[in-house]
Amino acid sequence: MKWPPLLLFAALTGSGFAQTSTASKEVDAVFPNSRAFYVDLHQNPELSSHETQTAAKLASHLRAAGYEVTEHVGGTGVVAILKNGTGPTIMLRTELDALPVEEKTGLPYASKVHAQDDSGRDVPVMHACGHDLHMATVLGTAQIMVHSKNTWHGTLLLIGQPAEETVSGAKKMVEDGLLTRFPKPDVGVALHVSNDFPAGIVGVTSGYSYASADALRITIYGKGGHGAAPQSTIDPVVIAARTVLSLQTIVSREVKPGDAAVLTVGYIQAGTKNNLIPDHAELGLTVRAYKPEVRQQILAAIARITKAEADAAAVQRAPLIENVGSTDAVYNDPALTQKLKITLEGALGKDNVETGEPLMASEDYSYFIEQGIPSFYFALGGADPQKYSEAKNTGTQLPSNHSPLFAPDVDPALRTGITAEVAVLRDLLRTQ
């Protein structure tokens, strides 16, 4: 049957309104519980690999919703499964951990928590990266999926992953049998809130979304002595200073222009007193790149330059370079991304789905992708729309993730996140 253009337009827009209206009612039904969960999580954050209460709360909520829940996967990790007939297995992941940051948002539910970190220091703790909002979003999504089984078929696998901030939790969960003890996902989905977009907007990036990261510790060995007799020493401070400057030429002079890369020396530690030349100096580096070959090029150049600067000073012991933490880049499957971008436009409105830029931040969600799980990792706007507009107009920056002032505009961001996740999951688990 061929529809007249006016009637066709009316039918399509009417259908879209009906879908939007239904989705809004579904979100309204779960929103109060999700928001209360968010406030509880925000007030009671826990550090990486110590998310015992956080994990227990998430597990309890998902179990009460009707999921088959397994706890203590890869430490404090949570796996929740909902089966609904034959179909694909789709993974939706959230993080559990918070950061050693003192909250300064002034919110009535601001964190006042202190805890001991892994070195035994007393540190403040804050959900300064939005993982509390991610968990609250997953809970709302999980409850809607339970109550709307007529809209999808297959297996939904919800993951509460510990230790994202130390880029170690995803690997620990996989090593503990995530992909062998439970159904292996056909597709993986995750989101991350930030102030890069206003609340109500989502950002979609095809291909590389987050960079790889390597945390390096370089120890340069010299020969200590009196500061007034440098001729009898081999000064590691001077070698370190020369090394820092030489390392900065790698991105500017060795990496092909157009290939994104960052090399930052975050700290130099050496010596204890002004008139002592120490016997060693330590550098802390972070290296970021998208392409694996660029990453390897930079790491090889760091080793070459560090050795050369030490050799130039006639050191008696070669420098030690240690990789103390790394993760690959997050790569969004292009075909999957294009498909789900259209889905999100239908659920949120075309104007509320933007194309995002690849970021030099890093995420250990990449470890799931390494296991052969095609994935879609998208951005959730968290900025207050008015403050976002004012910041754009004045050229100022809103507080970023990891800032003590980071505070997403919870209500619209949470509603948008739930709506987006439900739409994506239903598309991937669509009844044929």
Side-chain angles (χ1 to χ4, degrees):
M1 177 180 180
K2 187 174 182 180
W3 291 56
L6 187 58
L7 290 178
L8 177 60
F9 174 78
L12 291 173
T13 55
S15 172
F17 174 78
Q19 291 173 6
T20 303
S21 178
T22 300
S24 179
K25 289 178 180 177
E26 288 179 320
V27 174
D28 287 344
V30 302
F31 183 79
N33 188 46
S34 291
R35 197 185 193 287
F37 187 42
Y38 167 78
V39 172
D40 181 23
L41 292 169
H42 192 86
Q43 287 180 315
N44 299 285
E46 294 178 294
L47 294 172
S48 302
S49 299
H50 300 279
E51 314 93 334
T52 54
Q53 294 302 312
T54 301
K57 290 173 185 178
L58 180 62
S60 177
H61 279 292
L62 294 175
R63 193 175 284 116
Y67 286 74
E68 178 186 336
V69 178
T70 303
E71 299 178 67
H72 310 297
V73 180
T76 56
V78 177
V79 177
I81 298 175
L82 184 64
K83 295 181 179 179
N84 187 30
T86 59
T89 297
I90 306 300
M91 180 180 81
L92 175 63
R93 174 269 214 167
T94 182
E95 316 93 311
L96 304 176
D97 54 338
L99 287 157
V101 173
E102 183 178 2
E103 181 161 358
K104 297 179 181 179
T105 62
L107 292 168
Y109 50 84
S111 169
K112 296 179 175 60
V113 171
H114 277 244
Q116 280 196 342
D117 66 11
D118 289 335
S119 65
R121 296 177 303 170
D122 180 76
V123 295
V125 189
M126 174 192 175
H127 269 298
C129 202
H131 296 179
D132 47 356
L133 186 64
H134 300 174
M135 285 183 275
T137 300
V138 163
L139 176 60
T141 299
Q143 291 174 330
I144 289 176
M145 296 301 285
V146 167
H147 297 133
S148 60
K149 286 185 174 181
N150 61 312
T151 65
W152 61 277
H153 280 169
T155 299
L156 179 55
L157 186 72
L158 303 181
I159 304 298
Q161 182 209 307
E164 185 279 327
E165 296 294 352
T166 56
V167 295
S168 60
K171 183 178 181 180
K172 287 179 181 177
M173 290 192 78
V174 171
E175 289 176 343
D176 197 20
L178 175 62
L179 305 181
T180 55
R181 294 164 55 191
F182 309 98
K184 183 173 180 179
D186 296 293
V187 173
V189 177
L191 61 69
H192 206 298
V193 68
S194 74
N195 281 336
D196 292 339
F197 298 100
I201 303 291
V202 298
V204 175
T205 305
S206 182
Y208 290 111
S209 178
Y210 285 80
S212 64
D214 291 277
L216 304 181
R217 180 169 58 229
I218 299 176
T219 305
I220 296 170
Y221 299 101
K223 180 182 176 184
H226 200 294
Q231 74 281 0
S232 65
T233 72
I234 300 175
D235 193 339
V237 176
V238 174
I239 302 170
R242 287 201 305 255
T243 301
V244 170
L245 293 177
S246 295
L247 290 176
Q248 296 308 310
T249 66
I250 295 174
V251 173
S252 66
R253 289 296 176 267
E254 297 190 34
V255 174
K256 179 183 176 182
D259 283 340
V262 172
L263 190 164
T264 295
V265 180
Y267 71 81
I268 304 176
Q269 295 176 351
T272 57
K273 198 171 184 294
N274 64 300
N275 64 345
L276 294 176
I277 292 174
D279 60 5
H280 72 278
E282 185 176 295
L283 307 179
L285 280 65
T286 188
V287 177
R288 307 294 172 105
Y290 295 126
K291 297 179 180 178
E293 60 270 26
V294 174
R295 178 186 186 184
Q296 293 308 315
Q297 178 190 10
I298 295 171
L299 294 176
I302 290 171
R304 185 191 76 240
I305 287 172
T306 301
K307 182 179 183 301
E309 291 292 355
D311 287 346
V315 298
Q316 298 168 349
R317 181 180 176 185
L320 174 65
I321 301 177
E322 300 169 277
N323 192 320
V324 295
S326 66
T327 187
D328 286 352
V330 173
Y331 185 82
N332 276 335
D333 181 272
L336 180 64
T337 301
Q338 180 57 32
K339 166 186 167 67
L340 294 177
K341 181 181 180 183
I342 295 170
T343 299
L344 288 171
E345 289 174 347
L348 302 173
K350 196 166 185 177
D351 292 341
N352 294 321
V353 180
E354 297 189 7
T355 299
E357 294 291 327
L359 300 177
M360 276 294 165
S362 298
E363 240 279 12
D364 74 338
Y365 183 90
S366 60
Y367 198 76
F368 298 126
I369 298 174
E370 286 180 54
Q371 312 310 307
I373 303 173
S375 289
F376 177 61
Y377 192 116
F378 65 103
L380 175 65
D384 177 293
Q386 182 176 344
K387 292 179 181 178
Y388 181 87
S389 178
E390 291 171 355
K392 284 286 187 183
N393 291 336
T394 59
T396 56
Q397 295 289 326
L398 294 174
S400 66
N401 298 70
H402 293 209
S403 163
L405 300 174
F406 182 70
D409 192 358
V410 176
D411 287 14
L414 182 55
R415 288 181 179 277
T416 302
I418 295 171
T419 303
E421 285 185 346
V422 170
V424 165
L425 292 178
R426 282 179 175 160
D427 188 318
L428 296 171
L429 294 161
R430 182 180 299 161
T431 302
Q432 298 299 322

